[in-house]
Amino acid sequence: MNSLSPEVALSRISPELRPLLCSVVRNGRVGLDSSSCLRITDLKSGCTSLVPGPCCDRFKLHIPYAGETLKWDIIFNAKDPELPPDFIFGEDADFLPEPSELPHLASWDAGKPECLLQLVKELLQQYHQYQCQRLRDSSRLLFEYDSLLEDPNYGRSMEIYAGLKNSWTGEFSARFLLKLPVDFSNIPIYLLKDTALDPGEDVALLSVSFEDAEATQVFPKLYLSPSIEHALGGSSALHIPAFPSGGCLIDYVPQVCQLLTNKVQYVIQGYHKRREYIAAFLSHFGMGVVEYDAVGFTKLTLLLMWKDFCFLVHVDLPLYFPRDQPTLTFQSIYHFTSSGQLYSQVQKSYPYSPRWDGNEMAKRANYNRDAEE
Amino acid sequence: MEEFNTTVRISGFALSSLMFHHLNSDADVEGLILGESVGEENCRITDSQIDHIQFEHTINIQKHIPCHKLHSFYSNVGDVSEEKIRPILSDYQEENVIGWYRQRRNTRQQMTFMEQVVHQNMRKILSNRELVFMLLTPSQATASGSTHRLEFSAFIWHSSQYINIPIFVSNLGNLEQQDYWRVSGTCPSLGQSEAVKQHRTQFFCSGDELKEVRNISSMNDDLLGEMQKVCKEVEKSERAVEKLQEDLKELKEAIKEHSEKNETQKHASPDEPKENVLLCSALRTLFPDAPSLQTQTLTVQGLPVLELCCNTDHNVDIPTKLPLILENQHTRKKDTAPRLRKKCLVAGYSQRLKRKRKTNDTSESASDSGSDTEIEMNGQNRSISPTF
């Protein structure tokens, strides 16, 4: 199976169908995992080989859903482009949507480029219902689903994929994918802009895999969009707790949500605190300021003098300031080390309290400087 | 204990006409299937008195009616319209409809979403609820397009799901080995059919031979005749070539014999002396009146044989070939007397000269002392002498 770039796929499609597919491959973000686009593979034609190309009118559409990838065959007819497409839903042979609940199928308009994308979204909604129906094979998992459904924070942003029940062992597995209702809007812009990838929507998804129907083997995993992950300090910065034995999703998911929210708050508060800190230092040591980070407020360099002895002080503020103590580095402007660097000394153990405000911290730092010298 | 067994059968020409319909279309095609559905209940009683009941359901596909276009009897959401089916059936009865078919290229052998919906709706509308859906999926088997594959199977709705049933193709009749015939054959004997008798003349000649076969045979005969003619021409030309080769061989042998003969003759007789034409021409030019200098034959005593002097004009271009001769000749004409003299030093020859002098009583005297004298060669001494 070879994935085709959007341009290649569009060039091989029959011209009458090209606008429909253009909307799918370029704007086709469906479901909770909107960072992944819809992909098209296995382009084929329903015409004879005597018909000159491009005349492909059937293909496989890859749709991300609940951590899985659905592979649906979509069948058009290049000779009758005004007819709606037909579908083969991959391995879900018993998935049969209700046609009357597909408005874009009933009133199919081949002239509207977004018609196919809207039809796919409507089919996905019914597919979600179909998967939820399959949870009835396990009362335990059905309970998990119903309890989450009642909570408006999670019920509306949930995707479920239920695996096939093993007729021999009776084993049944399912995966829940939930979009966590965490507000990322107050994260400073500078933390979000440095990602190389197109960030898209800032989203946090929690995937919980139940390997058996009795929920004895549960594996949670948190997925963050690239910008959020970068803002929080990377993939290793946030560790979610393990799913408690005997626990249930309605208790676990809010816990993870709170943890993530606290983390985001730390980052936001840290930003404001750092700004306050830098402002206080500027007011106390205004004449001696060499440079400071005016965007993220993570660094400050001062040129100070004590009894005709001038020296530099570098202040590094960590991401989780004020919880984490800033690092002070004293650097001489006269002396070099054997390796040719300016002589410096790092100072971490100085009087500090995260409960002090910026002004207090500046004063204390001043006293401490005199004491050191 | 009950057992259900469903079989779908189709005749060879019905299947081939189905395939032919799709081959001539650049899109998917669909239509209705006509035939008959036969059910049979077999009850097997054994010694243990346990009834084993087997239901055998045989669906015979006899004919298909293609639709002119897709979606001709159902809407976008799969709602089947009975009013739209009737025109398609035309003279056939709705009871004869046993299902419908679809042919789509390069797709899976699996019912699509719309096909399932349409099939369910057809089951509701048509009186025959044991409808069969026949799916044919041609595809390209090789990348070069030299080989194509056609898969076909039937689907029926049973126990809340669609089950896939293989189709048996009856070509000339039922070829299975059976002890007893429990059901009628799918194809009646062609010999008894009135329809066959009516259309027979379109396909058969008077001698019960297929027209196409006769045409092919006559073309084959013509081809054979043409090939035989060509073979004869080839044979003729081959023979001519063979004859020419033999003639050539004889000539070569003759030439070889002749050359061998000439060589032996050449070795048997001594080589004839080759004349130095340039020397001869030079001597003739320089000494035109001295025949003794123009002979190439000498006696044993070394005297020239005048009778054998060369009188042939060799047509040598003296100015071109012997330019020095002319220069010398011109110089000598200035320095020497007009009459050529040659000194004769041979003793025997001087005696003859004396005798001649005595008889002729000439005023000029010659001595043996070696004074120049004019010698007249009369060639009296004819002895054979070495030549040069």
Side-chain angles (χ1 to χ4, degrees):
Chain A
M1 177 172 53
N2 46 353
S3 176
L4 300 171
S5 69
E7 288 70 28
V8 172
L10 288 174
S11 67
R12 291 176 54 183
I13 283 287
S14 171
E16 290 83 5
L17 303 173
R18 205 166 285 161
L20 294 166
L21 248 77
C22 193
S23 175
V24 168
V25 298
R26 295 198 196 283
N27 308 324
R29 293 177 195 270
V30 299
L32 296 179
D33 189 9
S34 58
S35 61
S36 300
C37 284
L38 297 173
R39 287 191 300 122
I40 286 178
T41 61
D42 297 343
L43 278 162
K44 289 181 183 162
S45 174
C47 305
T48 62
S49 54
L50 297 174
V51 175
C55 57
C56 288
D57 56 5
R58 46 210 60 189
F59 50 89
K60 206 180 285 282
L61 184 66
H62 295 249
I63 306 167
Y65 176 81
E68 297 283 334
T69 302
L70 307 178
K71 300 178 189 69
W72 290 355
D73 291 340
I74 299 184
I75 301 166
F76 280 96
N77 268 277
K79 293 297 176 183
D80 295 306
E82 71 282 357
L83 294 177
D86 206 348
F87 297 84
I88 297 178
F89 301 112
E91 295 173 358
D92 297 307
D94 50 350
F95 169 52
L96 192 65
E98 178 53 50
S100 57
E101 294 176 15
L102 300 170
H104 279 86
L105 178 65
S107 53
W108 172 262
D109 185 355
K112 282 186 185 171
E114 70 278 3
C115 207
L116 177 63
L117 182 61
Q118 294 303 324
L119 178 57
V120 169
K121 287 180 179 176
E122 288 165 6
L123 284 168
L124 267 178
Q125 285 174 2
Q126 292 207 33
Y127 184 77
H128 171 72
Q129 296 301 325
Y130 159 75
Q131 289 288 348
C132 295
Q133 290 288 326
R134 292 179 64 188
L135 286 178
R136 294 180 193 285
D137 287 342
S138 166
S139 57
R140 175 74 171 83
L141 295 178
L142 185 62
F143 162 75
E144 297 282 5
Y145 168 70
D146 288 336
S147 55
L148 281 173
L149 195 64
E150 288 170 0
D151 191 330
N153 288 328
Y154 312 111
R156 293 176 196 161
S157 305
M158 183 167 52
E159 287 177 357
I160 293 167
Y161 184 82
L164 292 172
K165 187 171 184 177
N166 191 321
S167 56
W168 291 99
T169 62
E171 288 301 321
F172 182 79
S173 63
R175 182 181 297 126
F176 288 72
L177 186 69
L178 299 113
K179 183 178 176 181
L180 299 180
V182 178
D183 183 13
F184 299 108
S185 60
N186 293 324
I187 292 181
I189 300 296
Y190 85 95
L191 284 171
L192 302 174
K193 71 175 182 181
D194 288 337
T195 55
L197 302 169
D198 176 20
E201 183 189 353
D202 294 330
V203 67
L205 300 173
L206 177 65
S207 165
V208 183
S209 299
F210 291 86
E211 296 298 323
D212 64 320
E214 298 309 316
T216 57
Q217 296 180 59
V218 184
F219 302 99
K221 195 164 182 188
L222 183 66
Y223 295 94
L224 301 172
S225 56
S227 56
I228 300 299
E229 190 172 298
H230 178 260
L232 297 184
S235 58
S236 58
L238 188 65
H239 294 285
I240 57 175
F243 193 85
S245 176
C248 54
L249 282 174
I250 196 59
D251 296 327
Y252 179 76
V253 174
Q255 191 182 349
V256 173
C257 203
Q258 188 59 48
L259 182 69
L260 184 60
T261 304
N262 292 343
K263 208 74 172 182
V264 170
Q265 287 302 318
Y266 269 134
V267 170
I268 295 171
Q269 282 176 11
Y271 170 79
H272 291 295
K273 283 287 183 181
R274 289 197 304 274
R275 192 168 64 174
E276 184 187 324
Y277 184 97
I278 296 288
F281 268 71
L282 288 177
S283 69
H284 274 82
F285 304 99
M287 298 302 290
V289 174
V290 175
E291 60 179 6
Y292 71 96
D293 178 5
V295 175
F297 305 103
T298 58
K299 285 182 182 299
L300 170 68
T301 300
L302 302 167
L303 177 63
L304 303 174
M305 187 171 71
W306 184 74
K307 292 183 179 178
D308 295 330
F309 182 82
C310 293
F311 57 96
L312 290 167
V313 178
H314 302 280
V315 182
D316 290 294
L317 297 162
L319 184 65
Y320 294 113
F321 174 83
R323 187 193 72 182
D324 298 341
Q325 185 175 354
T327 304
L328 300 180
T329 305
F330 290 86
Q331 192 174 53
S332 168
I333 63 172
Y334 309 106
H335 308 97
F336 290 90
T337 62
S338 57
S339 58
Q341 304 293 325
L342 285 171
Y343 180 79
S344 59
Q345 188 177 4
V346 178
Q347 184 61 257
K348 275 192 178 175
S349 57
Y350 56 89
Y352 173 81
S353 172
R355 288 185 290 276
W356 295 340
D357 60 4
N359 209 16
E360 184 68 22
M361 286 187 189
K363 281 184 198 171
R364 299 276 186 154
N366 208 6
Y367 297 149
N368 185 58
R369 180 205 60 172
D370 293 339
E372 288 292 322
E373 287 141 12
Chain B
M1 187 170 70
E2 296 177 350
E3 205 176 291
F4 293 87
N5 189 18
T6 304
T7 310
V8 178
R9 291 184 178 275
I10 186 171
S11 60
F13 47 83
L15 179 63
S16 57
S17 65
L18 263 172
M19 294 180 191
F20 187 73
H21 171 215
H22 191 210
L23 275 174
N24 289 287
S25 171
D26 280 331
D28 299 341
V29 297
E30 60 190 12
L32 300 174
I33 295 175
L34 305 182
E36 63 176 3
S37 181
V38 177
E40 190 182 61
E41 180 182 324
N42 292 324
C43 189
R44 190 184 304 169
I45 301 172
T46 63
D47 291 343
S48 59
Q49 297 296 315
I50 297 174
D51 290 342
H52 180 79
I53 302 172
Q54 191 175 28
F55 292 94
E56 288 200 7
H57 183 208
T58 304
I59 301 172
N60 293 316
I61 299 173
Q62 294 167 348
K63 188 180 170 56
H64 77 280
I65 301 176
C67 296
H68 293 296
K69 57 176 186 172
L70 296 171
H71 287 225
S72 54
F73 60 93
Y74 55 89
S75 65
N76 284 352
V77 292
D79 292 332
V80 177
S81 168
E82 201 170 351
E83 289 77 26
K84 290 182 182 174
I85 289 181
R86 287 221 183 83
I88 298 171
L89 286 174
S90 66
D91 296 333
Y92 295 98
Q93 298 295 322
E94 200 174 285
E95 291 76 25
N96 299 126
V97 177
I98 59 166
W100 65 300
Y101 72 90
R102 191 97 185 257
Q103 299 194 64
R104 37 183 168 83
R105 284 191 186 89
N106 296 317
T107 55
R108 279 201 249 186
Q109 186 70 342
Q110 188 178 343
M111 286 183 80
T112 64
F113 159 51
M114 194 50 58
E115 285 162 5
Q116 293 182 52
V117 172
V118 169
H119 193 79
Q120 291 297 338
N121 291 333
M122 279 186 79
R123 288 181 68 242
K124 291 175 193 170
I125 288 175
L126 296 177
S127 54
N128 185 359
R129 296 183 65 82
E130 293 296 328
L131 284 179
V132 62
F133 171 68
M134 185 173 174
L135 177 62
L136 297 95
T137 52
S139 59
Q140 209 161 300
T142 56
S144 62
S146 60
T147 309
H148 292 253
R149 173 176 52 229
L150 174 71
E151 295 177 348
F152 55 93
S153 62
F155 295 86
I156 61 169
W157 178 257
H158 183 69
S159 304
S160 308
Q161 61 179 352
Y162 286 99
I163 55 174
N164 189 326
I165 300 175
I167 298 177
F168 291 98
V169 181
S170 312
N171 221 352
L172 300 172
N174 194 346
L175 300 177
E176 292 169 4
Q177 296 289 331
Q178 285 190 3
D179 295 332
Y180 301 99
W181 285 87
R182 292 200 297 268
V183 293
S184 58
T186 56
C187 303
S189 169
L190 286 176
Q192 303 300 321
S193 171
E194 287 298 323
V196 171
K197 284 179 187 167
Q198 184 185 348
H199 294 279
R200 190 186 182 80
T201 52
Q202 293 179 26
F203 301 98
F204 289 91
C205 304
S206 55
D208 275 352
E209 192 184 10
L210 276 171
K211 281 184 181 173
E212 300 298 331
V213 170
R214 177 174 279 191
N215 293 342
I216 296 288
S217 292
S218 60
M219 188 173 80
N220 187 46
D221 292 339
D222 291 339
L223 277 172
L224 272 173
E226 212 170 293
M227 200 160 72
Q228 280 174 359
K229 206 192 309 182
V230 168
C231 285
K232 280 182 185 164
E233 285 175 10
V234 168
E235 186 190 351
K236 206 188 292 182
S237 67
E238 288 288 324
R239 289 201 187 282
V241 165
E242 190 181 339
K243 174 124 186 355
L244 284 171
Q245 281 181 341
E246 282 178 8
D247 291 344
L248 197 64
K249 190 176 171 187
E250 282 173 10
L251 283 171
K252 279 184 181 174
E253 282 175 2
I255 289 170
K256 190 177 174 186
E257 281 176 15
H258 186 71
S259 63
E260 281 174 0
K261 202 185 283 181
N262 286 345
E263 275 202 26
T264 51
Q265 279 182 0
K266 211 183 274 184
H267 288 305
S269 60
D271 291 335
E272 289 189 5
K274 292 183 185 172
E275 187 179 4
N276 191 338
V277 297
L278 288 180
L279 178 62
C280 180
S281 301
L283 288 174
R284 281 167 66 86
T285 307
L286 288 172
F287 311 104
D289 300 323
S292 61
L293 295 178
Q294 294 172 15
T295 179
Q296 295 177 22
T297 308
L298 298 176
T299 62
V300 177
Q301 291 78 26
L303 299 173
V305 178
L306 297 179
E307 291 81 7
L308 296 180
C309 74
C310 176
N311 296 319
T312 310
D313 184 9
H314 297 293
N315 294 322
V316 174
D317 186 13
I318 299 296
T320 306
K321 298 282 185 180
L322 304 167
L324 295 178
I325 296 296
L326 294 178
E327 288 179 10
N328 190 28
Q329 192 182 28
H330 181 71
T331 308
R332 284 197 56 158
K333 274 183 181 171
K334 286 183 183 171
D335 298 339
T336 58
R339 294 170 73 182
L340 181 67
R341 296 177 186 178
K342 181 173 181 177
K343 193 171 184 179
C344 178
L345 299 175
V346 179
Y349 187 76
S350 63
Q351 288 177 1
R352 199 168 59 220
L353 190 59
K354 277 183 186 173
R355 261 184 257 122
K356 205 173 180 182
R357 209 178 284 137
K358 280 180 185 174
T359 54
N360 290 336
D361 190 20
T362 55
S363 58
E364 292 180 340
S365 62
S367 66
D368 296 343
S369 62
S371 62
D372 294 340
T373 182
E374 187 177 350
I375 300 170
E376 187 177 339
M377 304 293 185
N378 56 11
Q380 289 185 4
N381 192 349
R382 292 182 182 272
S383 65
I384 301 297
S385 60
T387 59
F388 61 86

